[in-house]
Amino acid sequence: LMCIGMYMLLSGRNKRHGFIVFAVSVAYFAVVTGLMGKYGEGVMTSRTFGNLMQDHSKGFGEVIKTVLTNPAYFITQLFTEEKFVFMITMLTPMLFVPFITKKSSRLLITVPFLIMNLATGYGYAFNIGYQYVLGTTACLLYVVVINSNDMSRETFRKVVPAMAVASFLVSFGYASDKIYKIERYLDNTEKYDTIKAYLDTVPEDASVQATTWLVPQLAQRKEIYMIDTADSENNTDFVVIQTDYMDDWKSVKIEKLISDGYWLYCEAEGQVQIYVSPDYEFKE
C-alpha cells in the first residue's frame, strides 16, 4: 500500500489520495508491528528477511541498514538460481510487461514483488505454489493492464494472444509437475479414507488441537488450533496427532497429554491418534 500510495503521488494521478494512502499505510504499519512486538511474537522479520539481518533480534531497521550499507549483497539475494526460475515462472505469462514502460513511477507497483518475493530468504515466498504471491501478483497484473493501454493497437493484438499462449504453457508445465500428488492419493486411498473416518469421530461442537496436515480436515469444528510444538497448552477438548511419522516433540506432547489426564479416544495405528480431555462431556 505504501508503494501504491507513492505511485499515485508521483504519477500525478491523484496526489492528495496518494499522500493519504501512503501516510495511513506507514502509520498502520508502525502501529501494528509495534503492538505485535509488544504483546505478541512480532512479525517474524527474522524468518522472512533473516538473510538481510546480521542481528536477528532486531526489526526492519536492520534490513534497511543492510540494503543501504551493502547494496551489492542485497542484489545477490534477489537473483539466486531458485529465485531466477521463480521470476521466469511468474513473469513469462505476462511477457515481462510490468517492467516495460517509460513511466518510471509505475515501477513502484512492482516493488512489492521485489521485496516480498525476491529479497526474502524464506523459501515459500518465492514458490508460486504458496499464498505469498497473491498480493504481489495483483500488483503485477495491474501494471500489465496500464502498460498494455499504452501499446499501439497492432502491438496489443500481438501481445495479448502471446500472453495467453505463455500462460497456458507455464500453467501446464507447473501443473504436470504435481501429478505425483494424485498418484500418491490413488496409491494410498485406503489409508487416507481411514484417517478421514477417524477424524470424523471428533464432534463438531468440540475444540481441537491438531498437527499441521490434519487441520483442514477438522476445520468445521467449533475451535481449531494448529500444533507443531510440545509447548502448546493442553486446553482443548480433543488433540489429534498424525503418527505416520513421529518427531521428537510429538512423543513429548503425548506424554504431557497423558500426564494431564487426556485419554486415547481412538487410534488408527501408525496413522493418527486422537486424545480427549477428561473434562469433555459427550452428548448422547
Side-chain angles (χ1 to χ4, degrees):
L1 284 174
M2 294 179 200
C3 292
I4 291 173
M6 290 177 64
Y7 161 69
M8 295 171 65
L9 185 62
L10 297 178
S11 66
R13 292 177 65 90
N14 193 319
K15 291 186 177 182
R16 183 167 66 90
H17 286 176
F19 176 78
I20 292 172
V21 169
F22 178 77
V24 171
S25 299
V26 171
Y28 177 85
F29 181 81
V31 171
V32 170
T33 54
L35 290 174
M36 292 182 71
K38 183 176 181 179
Y39 298 107
E41 298 180 356
V43 292
M44 297 184 289
T45 308
S46 60
R47 184 203 70 174
T48 308
F49 296 107
N51 57 318
L52 299 174
M53 302 175 69
Q54 289 186 333
D55 185 348
H56 286 195
S57 65
K58 295 184 178 180
F60 281 103
E62 182 76 1
V63 176
I64 295 172
K65 176 183 175 182
T66 299
V67 174
L68 295 178
T69 60
N70 198 343
Y73 172 75
F74 173 66
I75 292 173
T76 66
Q77 296 302 295
L78 294 177
F79 300 107
T80 63
E81 181 179 348
E82 285 183 297
K83 291 176 182 177
F84 182 75
V85 172
F86 165 74
M87 185 169 58
I88 295 297
T89 306
M90 285 283 289
L91 296 176
T92 297
M94 306 177 196
L95 298 185
F96 291 83
V97 169
F99 296 95
I100 303 174
T101 179
K102 295 180 180 179
K103 299 180 179 180
S104 57
S105 61
R106 294 179 181 178
L107 295 177
L108 286 167
I109 311 180
T110 69
V111 169
F113 173 68
L114 299 176
I115 294 177
M116 301 306 299
N117 300 125
L118 296 181
T120 177
Y122 186 51
Y124 295 112
F126 47 90
N127 186 321
I128 198 172
Y130 294 86
Q131 71 272 21
Y132 302 98
V133 300
L134 177 61
T136 54
T137 300
C139 292
L140 293 176
L141 290 174
Y142 175 72
V143 187
V144 168
V145 172
I146 58 177
N147 284 351
S148 298
N149 192 49
D150 291 341
M151 297 177 185
S152 66
R153 185 181 294 263
E154 182 180 354
T155 301
F156 184 80
R157 286 176 176 175
K158 293 178 181 178
V159 167
V160 172
M163 284 183 181
V165 172
S167 297
F168 173 78
L169 293 176
V170 171
S171 298
F172 181 80
Y174 179 78
S176 62
D177 185 48
K178 306 300 176 185
I179 291 177
Y180 76 93
K181 293 188 177 182
I182 300 174
E183 294 174 345
R184 185 170 64 183
Y185 174 77
L186 295 175
D187 292 340
N188 297 277
T189 301
E190 183 177 352
K191 170 186 174 180
Y192 296 131
D193 287 347
T194 298
I195 293 176
K196 187 177 185 305
Y198 276 83
L199 297 182
D200 286 344
T201 65
V202 178
E204 291 193 1
D205 64 348
S207 58
V208 187
Q209 292 184 58
T211 48
T212 305
W213 308 117
L214 299 181
V215 170
Q217 292 289 343
L218 293 162
Q220 294 77 23
R221 301 318 185 270
K222 182 179 180 181
E223 295 178 41
I224 182 142
Y225 306 92
M226 185 186 79
I227 51 172
D228 56 9
T229 173
D231 296 331
S232 59
E233 294 291 331
N234 296 325
N235 54 10
T236 54
D237 299 324
F238 287 81
V239 178
V240 185
I241 299 177
Q242 189 172 350
T243 57
D244 54 354
Y245 60 92
M246 287 293 291
D247 297 317
D248 291 340
W249 72 265
K250 290 183 180 179
S251 299
V252 175
K253 178 69 174 179
I254 291 172
E255 291 177 2
K256 287 185 176 180
L257 286 169
I258 294 174
S259 66
D260 286 346
Y262 280 71
W263 51 277
L264 186 61
Y265 175 61
C266 60
E267 174 185 15
E269 189 173 354
Q271 298 175 24
V272 63
Q273 291 182 353
I274 301 177
Y275 291 85
V276 63
S277 168
D279 299 325
Y280 182 73
E281 297 182 2
F282 288 89
K283 296 180 180 179
E284 297 183 2

